[in-house]
Amino acid sequence: MTVDSSPGFAGRLTINGAELVVEAYGPEDAPAVIVHHGAPGLGSRAEPKRSFGPFADQYRVIVFDARGSGESSDDEPFTHEQWVADVDAIREYFGYEKIVMAGGSYGGFISLEYAVAHPDRVAALVLRDTAADNGHNELAVEKAKNTDRTMIPQWAIDRIGTGHFESNEQLREYWKAILPLYDHQHDPAKDAAKLAATRFHYRTHNAAFGQNMPRYDLKPQLPSITCPTLVTVGRHDWRTPVAASQVIADLIPDARLVVFEHSGHSPQLEEPELFQRTVRDFLDSAGIR
């Protein structure tokens, strides 16, 4: 199924003082799924739109560019607290008491933060290739050093997870250097397309990884999450490995962990049919229809 090119809502909303680009697909009276993209300063609504757009046959799918990313405005602060508050304001704007909160990679961090901050507003949680702390960063650096796919320059390796960028141009060169690490089956043409489609916001990226991540650790709060939770991850994910997802699944009561054997960091794109079927089965089993 393809995404309807005419969303039920598409526009710029003033959310907590920032101008956010928001799109909504699917029936207004259906259960709402708000999807948070990853990679602050690099990511955008394009990936959640592609990954969760097919769910608009049964759900109200809401995607957006977070403040400091994509086409949204660069209004600080770029903190987890602010991004969580923005999600809640979007929920309130569309008039939903409860939502399915979904997010991958850094979007998973915000999804977890949202579930901890607003447990009464989350009907279910869908996570993809994410983590509950920053303990996976050193392993990612080692994988980048030892990859046989490409020669990653040392300056780029030194900046993994640091937030030390001086310009959008430097962030672009870094993104270009590490893109070959992400997919299980490397395709240089796909990397080139991703690079060309990316809008760069280096200050957002710096705040996310230089300020937020060093103090990020939600492990003590995870047992308080009681909503149905699906944790998905690619077997070959270099950035947030299976072990990081296992920690989440172990700490959230009755969470379900699904490992995609033929994926890297993006099973929702590398194994889309299986990913969609897995999420649909989970939502059905959670009684969210």
Side-chain angles (χ1 to χ4, degrees):
M1 176 180 175
T2 59
V3 178
D4 185 348
S5 60
S6 301
F9 175 90
R12 302 183 72 89
L13 299 179
T14 300
I15 300 292
N16 296 324
E19 296 296 317
L20 305 188
V21 177
V22 182
E23 297 180 9
Y25 296 83
E28 293 185 18
D29 59 350
V33 182
I34 296 182
V35 194
H36 204 295
H37 65 76
L42 292 168
S44 75
R45 68 192 187 281
E47 180 272 314
K49 178 179 174 180
R50 179 179 171 188
S51 304
F52 281 83
F55 292 86
D57 62 340
Q58 290 182 281
Y59 302 94
R60 181 71 158 169
V61 177
I62 302 169
V63 300
F64 64 102
D65 291 347
R67 67 173 63 218
S69 293
E71 296 180 277
S72 291
S73 63
D74 290 327
D75 291 285
E76 298 183 28
F78 305 130
T79 63
H80 289 193
E81 295 80 6
Q82 185 61 66
W83 284 320
V84 165
D86 292 348
V87 170
D88 202 49
I90 291 171
R91 174 200 62 79
E92 186 175 15
Y93 175 87
F94 284 99
Y96 293 100
E97 292 186 8
K98 284 195 170 189
I99 60 170
V100 175
M101 186 69 227
S105 196
Y106 206 109
F109 306 161
I110 305 305
S111 297
L112 285 168
E113 296 266 24
Y114 187 87
V116 168
H118 302 292
D120 57 328
R121 298 172 189 169
V122 182
L125 187 59
V126 178
L127 304 171
R128 190 267 305 162
D129 296 84
T130 192
D133 61 18
N134 200 29
H136 54 279
N137 199 64
E138 290 184 5
L139 179 60
V141 170
E142 288 303 311
K143 288 188 175 182
K145 286 180 180 178
N146 297 319
T147 183
D148 58 2
R149 290 187 172 185
T150 185
M151 178 62 69
I152 300 178
Q154 187 62 44
W155 72 265
I157 293 174
D158 291 343
R159 282 171 171 77
I160 293 173
T162 65
H164 293 163
F165 294 95
E166 299 172 1
S167 67
N168 286 336
E169 290 73 21
Q170 188 180 68
L171 181 58
R172 181 186 183 280
E173 290 306 305
Y174 165 79
W175 189 229
K176 180 180 180 181
I178 67 170
L179 269 173
L181 297 171
Y182 278 88
D183 291 340
H184 178 41
Q185 298 295 332
H186 181 218
D187 185 339
K190 287 184 179 180
D191 288 350
K194 290 177 185 176
L195 183 67
T198 302
R199 292 174 179 261
F200 296 93
H201 304 251
Y202 79 98
R203 290 186 177 88
T204 312
H205 197 79
N206 285 350
F209 290 95
Q211 300 172 27
N212 300 341
M213 288 310 295
R215 59 177 182 265
Y216 174 66
D217 185 355
L218 282 183
K219 294 193 302 296
Q221 286 82 23
L222 294 192
S224 70
I225 297 176
T226 58
C227 67
T229 300
L230 173 66
V231 185
T232 66
V233 62
R235 174 67 70 186
H236 309 281
D237 188 342
W238 81 282
R239 195 66 183 91
T240 47
V242 173
S245 287
Q246 185 67 63
V247 168
I248 297 172
D250 288 344
L251 290 174
I252 296 179
D254 300 318
R256 178 187 177 192
L257 174 65
V258 178
V259 179
F260 291 79
E261 299 295 338
H262 305 289
S263 292
H265 191 63
S266 301
Q268 80 285 11
L269 302 179
E270 296 179 82
E271 299 180 73
E273 292 182 359
L274 180 57
F275 180 82
Q276 290 168 28
R277 186 165 65 250
T278 299
V279 174
R280 286 185 189 274
D281 289 347
F282 164 72
L283 294 176
D284 282 346
S285 68
I288 301 170
R289 300 182 179 87

